């Protein structure tokens, strides 16, 4: 898709409103789709750079996604609330909680399941990215970032393999390694505060840079117009919970997100090729 400018200079933005996302309510699963997925197909929203899927999922207790295959995708889960049990064909079994990011580099192929754990529902974002190279061996990574770490600052939670500070260990600190040019930053912005990010630019030497902003729907499931936390992007684009925005700019340009509401706003920012 193309973007149209909302400012006379700096990055250009196009809002992706929460109520316009694909939506599926299966009872046991309530899901929003930023991009075409399953029964929701819209040629305008197939991917953005190497970002292919952002599903905001809520799964009821005792339910989930049974064992199924994946290949040639980088798949990661950002846990918002509740507990999610992950099992896969690599022998990994783990219960993921608030603040966890689990990344599966599916490579030549894996099988996994994701089920709720405990007595409550789980709310998480399922994110897929297209790898820069096919035929790689599958790998699994898990990282944890506290709310305090994310308070009023961007924390780098996922970054390309080989980047500074990225460790290719199953567990540990620092961002999870991804086999694509994607950086995922997370923040929790207090009312009246703001955070800023300088676009990294593409790795191929050009100055082009894409980004995507997503405001997590933390206050509850809502199929209608976005409510809850309210932020303003670069002084001119208002977003609320569930809203997102496509951005296109140049290396060195800045995205600033200000919390203009009265409750904390949990925001993800993807810096892409």
């Amino acid at each position: 898709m193309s973007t149209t400018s909302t400012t006379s200079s700096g990055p250009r933005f196009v809002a992706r409103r929460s109520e316009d996302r694909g939506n599926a309510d299966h009872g046991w699963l309530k899901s929003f789709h930023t991009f075409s997925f399953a029964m929701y197909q819209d040629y305008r929203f197939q991917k953005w750079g190497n970002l292919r899927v952002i599903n905001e999922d809520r799964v009821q207790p005792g339910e989930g996604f049974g064992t199924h295959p994946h290949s040639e995708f980088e798949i990661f889960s950002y846990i918002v609330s509740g507990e999610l049990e992950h099992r896969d064909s690599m022998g990994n079994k783990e219960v993921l909680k608030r603040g966890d990011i689990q990344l599966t580099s599916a490579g030549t192929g894996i099988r996994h399941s994701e089920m709720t754990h405990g007595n409550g529902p789980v709310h998480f974002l399922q994110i897929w990215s297209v790898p820069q190279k096919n035929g790689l061996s599958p790998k699994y990574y898990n990282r944890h970032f506290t709310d305090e770490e994310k308070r009023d600052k961007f924390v780098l939670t996922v970054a390309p393999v080989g980047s500074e500070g990225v460790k290719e260990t199953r567990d540990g600190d620092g961002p999870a390694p991804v086999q694509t040019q994607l950086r995922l930053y997370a923040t929790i912005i207090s009312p009246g505060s703001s955070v800023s990010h300088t676009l990294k630019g593409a790795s191929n030497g050009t100055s082009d840079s894409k980004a995507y902003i997503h405001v997590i729907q933390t206050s509850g499931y809502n199929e209608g117009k976005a409510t809850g936390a309210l932020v303003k992007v670069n002084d001119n684009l208002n977003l609320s919970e569930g809203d997102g925005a496509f951005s296109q700019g140049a290396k060195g340009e800045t995205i600033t997100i200000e919390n203009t509401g009265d409750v904390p706003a949990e925001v993800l920012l993807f810096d892409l090729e």
Side-chain angles (χ1 to χ4, degrees):
M1 65 170 292
S2 61
T3 58
T4 55
S5 179
T6 59
T7 58
S8 57
S9 61
R12 302 171 297 283
F13 300 96
V14 170
R16 178 71 160 124
R17 296 299 176 188
S18 183
E19 68 271 21
D20 295 331
R21 294 183 291 173
N23 175 245
D25 185 348
H26 300 290
W28 67 273
L29 166 67
K30 299 180 188 296
S31 182
F32 289 101
H33 309 310
T34 296
F35 300 99
S36 293
F37 190 87
M39 298 301 293
Y40 170 67
Q41 296 294 318
D42 189 325
Y43 73 92
R44 298 171 300 169
F45 303 105
Q46 298 296 325
K47 64 177 183 176
W48 184 238
N50 46 39
L51 185 59
R52 176 61 186 85
V53 169
I54 304 176
N55 291 346
E56 188 161 3
D57 292 340
R58 287 176 170 82
V59 184
Q60 291 301 302
E63 302 285 354
F65 306 95
T67 303
H68 58 283
H70 287 290
S71 62
E72 307 305 356
F73 272 112
E74 303 291 292
I75 302 169
F76 38 111
S77 299
Y78 181 101
I79 311 302
V80 181
S81 63
E83 298 182 352
L84 182 71
E85 183 178 285
H86 169 97
R87 298 181 184 224
D88 64 42
S89 54
M90 294 179 281
N92 297 294
K93 178 183 176 183
E94 193 145 19
V95 175
L96 307 167
K97 302 178 181 180
R98 163 90 183 154
D100 285 343
I101 289 185
Q102 178 270 316
L103 192 152
T104 300
S105 184
T108 53
I110 57 100
R111 294 177 63 82
H112 73 176
S113 64
E114 294 166 307
M115 309 291 292
T116 55
H117 184 268
N119 298 322
V122 64
H123 175 197
F124 72 107
L125 278 81
Q126 180 183 168
I127 302 159
W128 298 10
S129 179
V130 179
Q132 57 197 7
K133 183 179 179 181
N134 288 346
L136 298 172
S137 298
K139 292 185 178 179
Y140 175 95
Y141 305 101
N142 185 37
R143 299 291 187 267
H144 180 80
F145 301 91
T146 67
D147 285 2
E148 192 56 37
E149 287 178 277
K150 293 180 277 192
R151 189 82 59 196
D152 297 324
K153 56 183 176 294
F154 275 123
V155 174
L156 182 61
T157 63
V158 175
V161 169
S163 299
E164 183 179 355
V166 175
K167 302 171 185 176
E168 291 189 64
T169 56
R170 181 191 185 281
D171 303 287
D173 56 7
V178 66
Q179 295 284 350
T180 187
Q181 291 300 312
L182 175 151
R183 291 174 173 84
L184 173 57
Y185 297 84
T187 183
I188 301 171
I189 311 172
S190 305
S193 296
S194 64
V195 295
S196 295
H197 172 70
T198 301
L199 294 172
K200 301 297 183 185
S203 64
N204 59 9
T206 69
S207 62
D208 295 334
S209 187
K210 289 183 173 72
Y212 189 79
I213 299 163
H214 180 77
V215 185
I216 298 176
Q217 204 180 55
T218 53
S219 65
Y221 178 75
N222 172 25
E223 295 182 19
K225 290 186 179 296
T227 56
L230 181 65
V231 301
K232 182 174 284 189
V233 182
N234 282 26
D235 293 325
N236 61 11
L237 177 63
N238 291 311
L239 302 175
S240 193
E241 290 184 12
D243 286 343
F246 299 95
S247 173
Q248 194 161 6
K251 179 179 180 179
E253 291 184 329
T254 299
I255 294 176
T256 297
I257 305 174
E258 178 188 5
N259 186 336
T260 56
D262 56 6
V263 296
E266 189 163 4
V267 181
L268 301 181
L269 187 150
F270 299 84
D271 193 331
L272 309 162
E273 289 224 322

